[in-house]
Amino acid sequence: MNIRPNRSAWRLGAVVAVIGLVAAACGGSSSNSTNSTTANTSGTNTASAPGITATTITIGSHQPLTGPAAPGYSEIAPASNALFKYVNAHGGVDGRSINYIYEDDGYNPANTATVVRKLVLQDNVFAIFNGLGTPTHQAVLSFLQTEKVPDLFVASGCDCWDNPTQDPETFGFQTDYTIEGKVLASYEQAHYKGEKVGYLFQNDDFGQGGVKGFDQEIPSSDVVSRQSYDATAAGLANGLGNQVSAIKAAGAKVVMLDTIPVATALTLLAAAEIGYNPVWIVSSVGGDPPTLSGLLSSISKGKAGASLENGVISASYLPSFSDTANPWIALFKSIHDQYDASEPWDGNTVYGMAVAYTFVQTMKAAGRNPTRADVLKALETDGGSFTGPGLVPFGYSTSHHNGYVGEQMGVVENGAFNMSGPVYRTTDSSGTPVTTYSGTQPAPPTSF
Amino acid sequence: MLSAGFLRRPLVRHLVIAVVLVVVLFLVTGILSSYNNFQIALIASYVIAVAGLSLLTGLNGQISLGHGAFMAVGAYTTALLETHQHWPLALVLALSAVTAAAAGLVTGLGAARLRGPYLAGATLALAVGLPELTIKFTSTLGGESGLPVNPPPPVSFLGASFDPNRYLAWVSILCVAVTLVLLANLVTSRFGRDFRAVRDDEIAASLSGIRVAGNQVLAFVVSAACAGLGGAIYALATGIVNPAGFTLVLSIAILTGTVIGGLGTLAGAVWGGILLVYLPRWSESLSNGFKLNKVVSSNLSLGLYGVVLIVVILAFPAGLQGGVRQAGRALRSRFMSGPGSSGSTGAAAPAGVSTPVASGGGGETS
């Protein structure tokens, strides 16, 4: 530590040299901000916006490819990419092929901040597409607004993406937790009216958003127990036995769960242990049958398994992966087998392809040579009438940026998720009732 | 004008080096892209935190696995004061360091009674436990989703179109310079000698009249203050503070940067900071280049990271800075001891630079 002059000079030289090297290595990629203001709907392809050339559209995303959130969720981006490859092989979008760069953030918001800045400032992506996670994506929300980068189809059911005045660039995708809560609760009211109800929810945006929806539909006098848990290692380490016992002691006949898959599994195991058999109504977040059965058998070390999840009621805004008669599922399965065969086939795969399809649809609606502003405008004006793999419409308009506005109910039977009955739709606000949606799903396009 | 003796006074010397460096780096930010400037801010946050830990561990002999927690204290202070109270940036940064120093004082009081693995255990508990507080006080600290942090708006005379990332890089470089100058003076002062004396032999140190416990607490306070300032810059750069950003992984990363850079050296902290930002990205792009199965390639980057760490430790046991010094000594002995070698190669230039001031150097110890 004895700093002598000669060494100081060395040190100075070394540090300057390093900074110089780093600068050279990174290459000053100057950003080309050629924002043309008018949309060109015909003629030849031009480089109409950052990330768009005459032959390519480059988009980026942050995804948990490693870390605690990776199981299941890491399948989404490869599935989206498979659909893009299929579209590229069939002529692309107006002759442009889609180049999808997804970076691993390990579900750590600090990493998200870094990788999204790399995508926007260095890779010059046209848009951030399907960035996954509430805490992670919140880390870059204001950055994307400042940089005016379209922030399309955030992979999270938080209602925080529906804020067009403050966050005009951001659009949600899936049914938000409050709408889902209302749909699940109105089903409960239709089939088990007057029964005692218990809640078990995750103590964060997800769980609280869902409970907000439950409470709009279920009379508070019916709710006999409200239990929660923290989604931390400590919060789940001792299982959920205390919470489940409290709900049983309160005499609930129906239990509403806003739980992640591992917490759903812990709940079902705790209930089986004390011989408690209520009707389970579970958020789509924690109800995917393949994920659940895997967790049930791994947590119980093989003593319990898929049979515990039989009869669990849940809901979805997309057709079930097990519904192979559905033409969209059939198309997605064939794309999966051709371009994504190394990944499993489940609800996450369907999700990844559905959101990728919606992006293709958006780019087509935005014109031949779209600017970033054209894409936002296309979603606000046409997005509400988009049809495709979804069972319900999107909520996109000039005043709302939320995604799917409802869900269809289904039940877990022998590892499959069988959906039936009416499709429900509603909004977040407490004045709007849950109504049925009668629109039909179109057949998938034969050409892209 | 300036005599050699004046230049040799530590404070003057450190200030001159710092001013030259700051000017050079300010100019460099102009030719870098916005993203590179953002990375400079990230590097700066790590450099400051690593320098603090380097002082504590390398100079005072105390280990801390909890510096991520002190960064969290600084970062949350910044989020609460800058974004919610709109206080001036300089004041916010100073207060972030002060708050972290207060946390360091409390920890230091306990740490002075603990040694080796027990101290590691206690600070480990801090790293694991402190972020959980944010979930207990959700209304103030934002719970899991955390608090947003507005990037500091460039001062008005730079113009409205001035790149905020470049401004952030300036602020960060200035913070690094101030921190390193202060630390460099601290380690050459009586306190620095006391730190080393306590590290080498506590009994001998106390026999020499050094209050060992007080000395150790002081080292903890200074070190935590650095981590707090690093955390503040980290918060400004990433634009968010939340518990997932300040896990045990961060504390371990800071310790890694300290050891790899060169324990107990301030220049080593610069290497450590650069490494912590670039190594994960390099190993990731390298592993992506192999076009392997996704499960392998997404975990290969961690493996490569580990391999680099092992290689560096094996090749340079004194860290990268130790390696730089070795190389420097080797170069100097080649070009300076040779009889009248009026070097014809360009490599002689650095040696020539050091000649006028290398008045009877040699035999230096760290």
mmCIF file of all heavy atoms in Angstrom, chain B residues 19-59:
data_model
loop_
_atom_site.group_PDB
_atom_site.id
_atom_site.type_symbol
_atom_site.label_atom_id
_atom_site.label_comp_id
_atom_site.label_asym_id
_atom_site.label_seq_id
_atom_site.Cartn_x
_atom_site.Cartn_y
_atom_site.Cartn_z
ATOM 1 N N VAL B 19 -6.712 13.880 -10.243
ATOM 2 C CA VAL B 19 -7.202 14.915 -11.163
ATOM 3 C C VAL B 19 -6.881 14.520 -12.606
ATOM 4 O O VAL B 19 -7.742 14.612 -13.491
ATOM 5 C CB VAL B 19 -6.581 16.288 -10.809
ATOM 6 C CG1 VAL B 19 -6.843 17.294 -11.922
ATOM 7 C CG2 VAL B 19 -7.159 16.795 -9.496
ATOM 8 N N VAL B 20 -5.659 14.023 -12.827
ATOM 9 C CA VAL B 20 -5.286 13.600 -14.181
ATOM 10 C C VAL B 20 -6.228 12.498 -14.658
ATOM 11 O O VAL B 20 -6.780 12.543 -15.765
ATOM 12 C CB VAL B 20 -3.819 13.119 -14.220
ATOM 13 C CG1 VAL B 20 -3.511 12.461 -15.553
ATOM 14 C CG2 VAL B 20 -2.885 14.281 -13.954
ATOM 15 N N LEU B 21 -6.438 11.508 -13.775
ATOM 16 C CA LEU B 21 -7.305 10.386 -14.135
ATOM 17 C C LEU B 21 -8.722 10.853 -14.445
ATOM 18 O O LEU B 21 -9.330 10.429 -15.436
ATOM 19 C CB LEU B 21 -7.355 9.387 -12.986
ATOM 20 C CG LEU B 21 -6.412 8.203 -13.085
ATOM 21 C CD1 LEU B 21 -6.588 7.303 -11.893
ATOM 22 C CD2 LEU B 21 -6.702 7.440 -14.361
ATOM 23 N N VAL B 22 -9.240 11.713 -13.578
ATOM 24 C CA VAL B 22 -10.619 12.169 -13.759
ATOM 25 C C VAL B 22 -10.754 12.899 -15.082
ATOM 26 O O VAL B 22 -11.701 12.665 -15.845
ATOM 27 C CB VAL B 22 -11.049 13.063 -12.571
ATOM 28 C CG1 VAL B 22 -12.304 13.838 -12.907
ATOM 29 C CG2 VAL B 22 -11.256 12.226 -11.330
ATOM 30 N N VAL B 23 -9.789 13.753 -15.407
ATOM 31 C CA VAL B 23 -9.859 14.504 -16.666
ATOM 32 C C VAL B 23 -9.819 13.537 -17.851
ATOM 33 O O VAL B 23 -10.634 13.612 -18.778
ATOM 34 C CB VAL B 23 -8.704 15.530 -16.751
ATOM 35 C CG1 VAL B 23 -8.631 16.124 -18.156
ATOM 36 C CG2 VAL B 23 -8.918 16.638 -15.727
ATOM 37 N N VAL B 24 -8.888 12.565 -17.785
ATOM 38 C CA VAL B 24 -8.781 11.590 -18.875
ATOM 39 C C VAL B 24 -10.100 10.831 -19.037
ATOM 40 O O VAL B 24 -10.631 10.698 -20.146
ATOM 41 C CB VAL B 24 -7.619 10.604 -18.615
ATOM 42 C CG1 VAL B 24 -7.678 9.438 -19.588
ATOM 43 C CG2 VAL B 24 -6.293 11.317 -18.724
ATOM 44 N N LEU B 25 -10.644 10.372 -17.914
ATOM 45 C CA LEU B 25 -11.870 9.571 -17.993
ATOM 46 C C LEU B 25 -13.055 10.407 -18.470
ATOM 47 O O LEU B 25 -13.897 9.917 -19.221
ATOM 48 C CB LEU B 25 -12.163 8.939 -16.639
ATOM 49 C CG LEU B 25 -11.251 7.763 -16.296
ATOM 50 C CD1 LEU B 25 -11.456 7.304 -14.863
ATOM 51 C CD2 LEU B 25 -11.508 6.597 -17.234
ATOM 52 N N PHE B 26 -13.117 11.675 -18.032
ATOM 53 C CA PHE B 26 -14.196 12.541 -18.517
ATOM 54 C C PHE B 26 -14.141 12.644 -20.031
ATOM 55 O O PHE B 26 -15.153 12.592 -20.719
ATOM 56 C CB PHE B 26 -14.069 13.938 -17.891
ATOM 57 C CG PHE B 26 -14.753 14.064 -16.557
ATOM 58 C CD1 PHE B 26 -15.172 12.939 -15.852
ATOM 59 C CD2 PHE B 26 -14.996 15.311 -16.001
ATOM 60 C CE1 PHE B 26 -15.803 13.062 -14.634
ATOM 61 C CE2 PHE B 26 -15.625 15.436 -14.774
ATOM 62 C CZ PHE B 26 -16.027 14.310 -14.085
ATOM 63 N N LEU B 27 -12.927 12.763 -20.564
ATOM 64 C CA LEU B 27 -12.797 12.856 -22.014
ATOM 65 C C LEU B 27 -13.187 11.531 -22.667
ATOM 66 O O LEU B 27 -13.846 11.508 -23.700
ATOM 67 C CB LEU B 27 -11.360 13.246 -22.392
ATOM 68 C CG LEU B 27 -10.951 14.647 -21.919
ATOM 69 C CD1 LEU B 27 -9.485 14.916 -22.224
ATOM 70 C CD2 LEU B 27 -11.829 15.712 -22.577
ATOM 71 N N VAL B 28 -12.784 10.424 -22.026
ATOM 72 C CA VAL B 28 -13.085 9.110 -22.600
ATOM 73 C C VAL B 28 -14.593 8.886 -22.700
ATOM 74 O O VAL B 28 -15.081 8.328 -23.687
ATOM 75 C CB VAL B 28 -12.415 8.000 -21.759
ATOM 76 C CG1 VAL B 28 -12.977 6.636 -22.122
ATOM 77 C CG2 VAL B 28 -10.913 8.017 -21.969
ATOM 78 N N THR B 29 -15.364 9.360 -21.706
ATOM 79 C CA THR B 29 -16.816 9.118 -21.743
ATOM 80 C C THR B 29 -17.445 9.696 -23.001
ATOM 81 O O THR B 29 -18.468 9.209 -23.455
ATOM 82 C CB THR B 29 -17.528 9.727 -20.523
ATOM 83 O OG1 THR B 29 -17.259 11.127 -20.494
ATOM 84 C CG2 THR B 29 -17.079 9.083 -19.228
ATOM 85 N N GLY B 30 -16.812 10.750 -23.558
ATOM 86 C CA GLY B 30 -17.373 11.382 -24.743
ATOM 87 C C GLY B 30 -17.337 10.504 -25.977
ATOM 88 O O GLY B 30 -18.207 10.594 -26.834
ATOM 89 N N ILE B 31 -16.326 9.624 -26.056
ATOM 90 C CA ILE B 31 -16.249 8.784 -27.257
ATOM 91 C C ILE B 31 -16.915 7.435 -27.055
ATOM 92 O O ILE B 31 -17.049 6.646 -27.974
ATOM 93 C CB ILE B 31 -14.772 8.569 -27.700
ATOM 94 C CG1 ILE B 31 -13.963 7.954 -26.565
ATOM 95 C CG2 ILE B 31 -14.146 9.854 -28.182
ATOM 96 C CD1 ILE B 31 -12.646 7.365 -27.006
ATOM 97 N N LEU B 32 -17.358 7.154 -25.814
ATOM 98 C CA LEU B 32 -18.002 5.862 -25.553
ATOM 99 C C LEU B 32 -19.490 5.949 -25.848
ATOM 100 O O LEU B 32 -20.088 7.021 -25.812
ATOM 101 C CB LEU B 32 -17.801 5.476 -24.091
ATOM 102 C CG LEU B 32 -16.376 5.132 -23.670
ATOM 103 C CD1 LEU B 32 -16.351 4.760 -22.206
ATOM 104 C CD2 LEU B 32 -15.853 3.989 -24.515
ATOM 105 N N SER B 33 -20.090 4.771 -26.096
ATOM 106 C CA SER B 33 -21.535 4.736 -26.306
ATOM 107 C C SER B 33 -22.231 4.906 -24.952
ATOM 108 O O SER B 33 -21.616 4.785 -23.897
ATOM 109 C CB SER B 33 -21.940 3.407 -26.922
ATOM 110 O OG SER B 33 -21.855 2.387 -25.944
ATOM 111 N N SER B 34 -23.515 5.176 -25.044
ATOM 112 C CA SER B 34 -24.322 5.366 -23.848
ATOM 113 C C SER B 34 -24.264 4.122 -22.958
ATOM 114 O O SER B 34 -24.176 4.214 -21.729
ATOM 115 C CB SER B 34 -25.759 5.646 -24.276
ATOM 116 O OG SER B 34 -26.536 6.014 -23.201
ATOM 117 N N TYR B 35 -24.271 2.955 -23.605
ATOM 118 C CA TYR B 35 -24.247 1.702 -22.833
ATOM 119 C C TYR B 35 -22.923 1.545 -22.102
ATOM 120 O O TYR B 35 -22.880 1.131 -20.946
ATOM 121 C CB TYR B 35 -24.487 0.514 -23.763
ATOM 122 C CG TYR B 35 -24.381 -0.820 -23.077
ATOM 123 C CD1 TYR B 35 -25.274 -1.163 -22.055
ATOM 124 C CD2 TYR B 35 -23.408 -1.744 -23.436
ATOM 125 C CE1 TYR B 35 -25.184 -2.374 -21.425
ATOM 126 C CE2 TYR B 35 -23.316 -2.958 -22.803
ATOM 127 C CZ TYR B 35 -24.207 -3.277 -21.806
ATOM 128 O OH TYR B 35 -24.123 -4.487 -21.168
ATOM 129 N N ASN B 36 -21.808 1.906 -22.772
ATOM 130 C CA ASN B 36 -20.508 1.810 -22.107
ATOM 131 C C ASN B 36 -20.428 2.758 -20.916
ATOM 132 O O ASN B 36 -19.839 2.433 -19.891
ATOM 133 C CB ASN B 36 -19.380 2.119 -23.094
ATOM 134 C CG ASN B 36 -19.277 1.072 -24.185
ATOM 135 O OD1 ASN B 36 -18.925 1.365 -25.296
ATOM 136 N ND2 ASN B 36 -19.625 -0.168 -23.857
ATOM 137 N N ASN B 37 -21.052 3.939 -21.056
ATOM 138 C CA ASN B 37 -21.068 4.867 -19.930
ATOM 139 C C ASN B 37 -21.855 4.298 -18.761
ATOM 140 O O ASN B 37 -21.481 4.466 -17.602
ATOM 141 C CB ASN B 37 -21.658 6.210 -20.361
ATOM 142 C CG ASN B 37 -20.625 7.076 -21.061
ATOM 143 O OD1 ASN B 37 -19.457 7.060 -20.681
ATOM 144 N ND2 ASN B 37 -21.042 7.802 -22.073
ATOM 145 N N PHE B 38 -22.946 3.614 -19.087
ATOM 146 C CA PHE B 38 -23.715 2.938 -18.036
ATOM 147 C C PHE B 38 -22.842 1.897 -17.334
ATOM 148 O O PHE B 38 -22.841 1.769 -16.110
ATOM 149 C CB PHE B 38 -24.958 2.289 -18.655
ATOM 150 C CG PHE B 38 -25.608 1.244 -17.798
ATOM 151 C CD1 PHE B 38 -26.345 1.595 -16.685
ATOM 152 C CD2 PHE B 38 -25.476 -0.103 -18.109
ATOM 153 C CE1 PHE B 38 -26.941 0.629 -15.900
ATOM 154 C CE2 PHE B 38 -26.067 -1.074 -17.329
ATOM 155 C CZ PHE B 38 -26.805 -0.705 -16.215
ATOM 156 N N GLN B 39 -22.047 1.164 -18.150
ATOM 157 C CA GLN B 39 -21.181 0.150 -17.551
ATOM 158 C C GLN B 39 -20.106 0.785 -16.671
ATOM 159 O O GLN B 39 -19.724 0.218 -15.647
ATOM 160 C CB GLN B 39 -20.523 -0.686 -18.642
ATOM 161 C CG GLN B 39 -21.510 -1.661 -19.268
ATOM 162 C CD GLN B 39 -20.862 -2.485 -20.351
ATOM 163 O OE1 GLN B 39 -20.187 -1.947 -21.211
ATOM 164 N NE2 GLN B 39 -21.065 -3.784 -20.304
ATOM 165 N N ILE B 40 -19.630 1.976 -17.058
ATOM 166 C CA ILE B 40 -18.651 2.668 -16.223
ATOM 167 C C ILE B 40 -19.259 2.949 -14.847
ATOM 168 O O ILE B 40 -18.613 2.755 -13.813
ATOM 169 C CB ILE B 40 -18.199 3.986 -16.898
ATOM 170 C CG1 ILE B 40 -17.248 3.654 -18.046
ATOM 171 C CG2 ILE B 40 -17.524 4.907 -15.889
ATOM 172 C CD1 ILE B 40 -16.655 4.854 -18.727
ATOM 173 N N ALA B 41 -20.527 3.369 -14.830
ATOM 174 C CA ALA B 41 -21.178 3.634 -13.549
ATOM 175 C C ALA B 41 -21.264 2.356 -12.720
ATOM 176 O O ALA B 41 -21.009 2.366 -11.511
ATOM 177 C CB ALA B 41 -22.573 4.219 -13.779
ATOM 178 N N LEU B 42 -21.620 1.242 -13.372
ATOM 179 C CA LEU B 42 -21.690 -0.034 -12.650
ATOM 180 C C LEU B 42 -20.315 -0.414 -12.100
ATOM 181 O O LEU B 42 -20.176 -0.807 -10.934
ATOM 182 C CB LEU B 42 -22.165 -1.146 -13.577
ATOM 183 C CG LEU B 42 -23.643 -1.445 -13.683
ATOM 184 C CD1 LEU B 42 -23.846 -2.753 -14.430
ATOM 185 C CD2 LEU B 42 -24.299 -1.531 -12.317
ATOM 186 N N ILE B 43 -19.283 -0.270 -12.964
ATOM 187 C CA ILE B 43 -17.920 -0.582 -12.533
ATOM 188 C C ILE B 43 -17.567 0.286 -11.332
ATOM 189 O O ILE B 43 -17.054 -0.206 -10.325
ATOM 190 C CB ILE B 43 -16.911 -0.340 -13.688
ATOM 191 C CG1 ILE B 43 -17.113 -1.381 -14.785
ATOM 192 C CG2 ILE B 43 -15.473 -0.389 -13.172
ATOM 193 C CD1 ILE B 43 -16.277 -1.139 -16.028
ATOM 194 N N ALA B 44 -17.894 1.572 -11.429
ATOM 195 C CA ALA B 44 -17.563 2.500 -10.349
ATOM 196 C C ALA B 44 -18.184 2.054 -9.039
ATOM 197 O O ALA B 44 -17.537 2.078 -7.989
ATOM 198 C CB ALA B 44 -18.036 3.910 -10.709
ATOM 199 N N SER B 45 -19.454 1.623 -9.094
ATOM 200 C CA SER B 45 -20.117 1.212 -7.853
ATOM 201 C C SER B 45 -19.380 0.028 -7.238
ATOM 202 O O SER B 45 -19.190 -0.033 -6.023
ATOM 203 C CB SER B 45 -21.584 0.884 -8.117
ATOM 204 O OG SER B 45 -21.707 -0.344 -8.781
ATOM 205 N N TYR B 46 -18.941 -0.904 -8.085
ATOM 206 C CA TYR B 46 -18.212 -2.062 -7.556
ATOM 207 C C TYR B 46 -16.826 -1.644 -7.054
ATOM 208 O O TYR B 46 -16.366 -2.131 -6.025
ATOM 209 C CB TYR B 46 -18.051 -3.138 -8.630
ATOM 210 C CG TYR B 46 -19.314 -3.937 -8.898
ATOM 211 C CD1 TYR B 46 -19.829 -4.044 -10.176
ATOM 212 C CD2 TYR B 46 -19.969 -4.600 -7.855
ATOM 213 C CE1 TYR B 46 -20.979 -4.787 -10.430
ATOM 214 C CE2 TYR B 46 -21.108 -5.337 -8.106
ATOM 215 C CZ TYR B 46 -21.612 -5.423 -9.395
ATOM 216 O OH TYR B 46 -22.740 -6.152 -9.631
ATOM 217 N N VAL B 47 -16.159 -0.759 -7.796
ATOM 218 C CA VAL B 47 -14.804 -0.347 -7.400
ATOM 219 C C VAL B 47 -14.833 0.235 -5.988
ATOM 220 O O VAL B 47 -14.004 -0.103 -5.141
ATOM 221 C CB VAL B 47 -14.228 0.687 -8.397
ATOM 222 C CG1 VAL B 47 -12.960 1.329 -7.829
ATOM 223 C CG2 VAL B 47 -13.932 0.031 -9.729
ATOM 224 N N ILE B 48 -15.826 1.091 -5.732
ATOM 225 C CA ILE B 48 -15.883 1.743 -4.423
ATOM 226 C C ILE B 48 -16.147 0.715 -3.329
ATOM 227 O O ILE B 48 -15.489 0.709 -2.278
ATOM 228 C CB ILE B 48 -16.968 2.844 -4.428
ATOM 229 C CG1 ILE B 48 -16.575 3.938 -5.426
ATOM 230 C CG2 ILE B 48 -17.136 3.429 -3.037
ATOM 231 C CD1 ILE B 48 -17.641 4.975 -5.651
ATOM 232 N N ALA B 49 -17.100 -0.187 -3.578
ATOM 233 C CA ALA B 49 -17.415 -1.201 -2.566
ATOM 234 C C ALA B 49 -16.230 -2.142 -2.354
ATOM 235 O O ALA B 49 -15.900 -2.496 -1.216
ATOM 236 C CB ALA B 49 -18.653 -1.983 -2.986
ATOM 237 N N VAL B 50 -15.587 -2.538 -3.454
ATOM 238 C CA VAL B 50 -14.442 -3.451 -3.361
ATOM 239 C C VAL B 50 -13.286 -2.772 -2.622
ATOM 240 O O VAL B 50 -12.632 -3.385 -1.776
ATOM 241 C CB VAL B 50 -14.012 -3.922 -4.768
ATOM 242 C CG1 VAL B 50 -12.648 -4.584 -4.731
ATOM 243 C CG2 VAL B 50 -15.039 -4.887 -5.340
ATOM 244 N N ALA B 51 -13.057 -1.480 -2.909
ATOM 245 C CA ALA B 51 -11.987 -0.757 -2.218
ATOM 246 C C ALA B 51 -12.248 -0.752 -0.714
ATOM 247 O O ALA B 51 -11.329 -0.936 0.088
ATOM 248 C CB ALA B 51 -11.887 0.668 -2.751
ATOM 249 N N GLY B 52 -13.501 -0.561 -0.337
ATOM 250 C CA GLY B 52 -13.846 -0.563 1.086
ATOM 251 C C GLY B 52 -13.559 -1.907 1.732
ATOM 252 O O GLY B 52 -12.978 -1.984 2.821
ATOM 253 N N LEU B 53 -13.951 -2.970 1.055
ATOM 254 C CA LEU B 53 -13.733 -4.305 1.624
ATOM 255 C C LEU B 53 -12.243 -4.644 1.630
ATOM 256 O O LEU B 53 -11.744 -5.308 2.537
ATOM 257 C CB LEU B 53 -14.510 -5.355 0.817
ATOM 258 C CG LEU B 53 -14.439 -6.771 1.378
ATOM 259 C CD1 LEU B 53 -14.983 -6.821 2.804
ATOM 260 C CD2 LEU B 53 -15.217 -7.738 0.504
ATOM 261 N N SER B 54 -11.530 -4.156 0.609
ATOM 262 C CA SER B 54 -10.102 -4.400 0.517
ATOM 263 C C SER B 54 -9.385 -3.789 1.722
ATOM 264 O O SER B 54 -8.464 -4.377 2.292
ATOM 265 C CB SER B 54 -9.585 -3.795 -0.782
ATOM 266 O OG SER B 54 -8.338 -4.319 -1.113
ATOM 267 N N LEU B 55 -9.833 -2.605 2.116
ATOM 268 C CA LEU B 55 -9.270 -1.948 3.301
ATOM 269 C C LEU B 55 -9.525 -2.792 4.544
ATOM 270 O O LEU B 55 -8.637 -3.026 5.360
ATOM 271 C CB LEU B 55 -9.911 -0.570 3.447
ATOM 272 C CG LEU B 55 -9.567 0.215 4.716
ATOM 273 C CD1 LEU B 55 -8.518 1.248 4.390
ATOM 274 C CD2 LEU B 55 -10.784 0.861 5.312
ATOM 275 N N LEU B 56 -10.764 -3.259 4.669
ATOM 276 C CA LEU B 56 -11.142 -4.002 5.873
ATOM 277 C C LEU B 56 -10.411 -5.337 5.960
ATOM 278 O O LEU B 56 -9.865 -5.694 7.000
ATOM 279 C CB LEU B 56 -12.658 -4.233 5.862
ATOM 280 C CG LEU B 56 -13.245 -4.937 7.080
ATOM 281 C CD1 LEU B 56 -13.240 -4.006 8.270
ATOM 282 C CD2 LEU B 56 -14.662 -5.412 6.793
ATOM 283 N N THR B 57 -10.414 -6.069 4.845
ATOM 284 C CA THR B 57 -9.860 -7.422 4.873
ATOM 285 C C THR B 57 -8.355 -7.422 4.650
ATOM 286 O O THR B 57 -7.615 -8.070 5.380
ATOM 287 C CB THR B 57 -10.549 -8.281 3.794
ATOM 288 O OG1 THR B 57 -11.960 -8.198 3.996
ATOM 289 C CG2 THR B 57 -10.109 -9.727 3.881
ATOM 290 N N GLY B 58 -7.919 -6.665 3.644
ATOM 291 C CA GLY B 58 -6.506 -6.700 3.292
ATOM 292 C C GLY B 58 -5.637 -5.943 4.274
ATOM 293 O O GLY B 58 -4.501 -6.330 4.530
ATOM 294 N N LEU B 59 -6.169 -4.856 4.836
ATOM 295 C CA LEU B 59 -5.332 -4.004 5.685
ATOM 296 C C LEU B 59 -5.582 -4.234 7.166
ATOM 297 O O LEU B 59 -4.678 -4.090 7.983
ATOM 298 C CB LEU B 59 -5.628 -2.530 5.351
ATOM 299 C CG LEU B 59 -4.417 -1.745 4.898
ATOM 300 C CD1 LEU B 59 -3.823 -2.372 3.672
ATOM 301 C CD2 LEU B 59 -4.812 -0.311 4.655
#
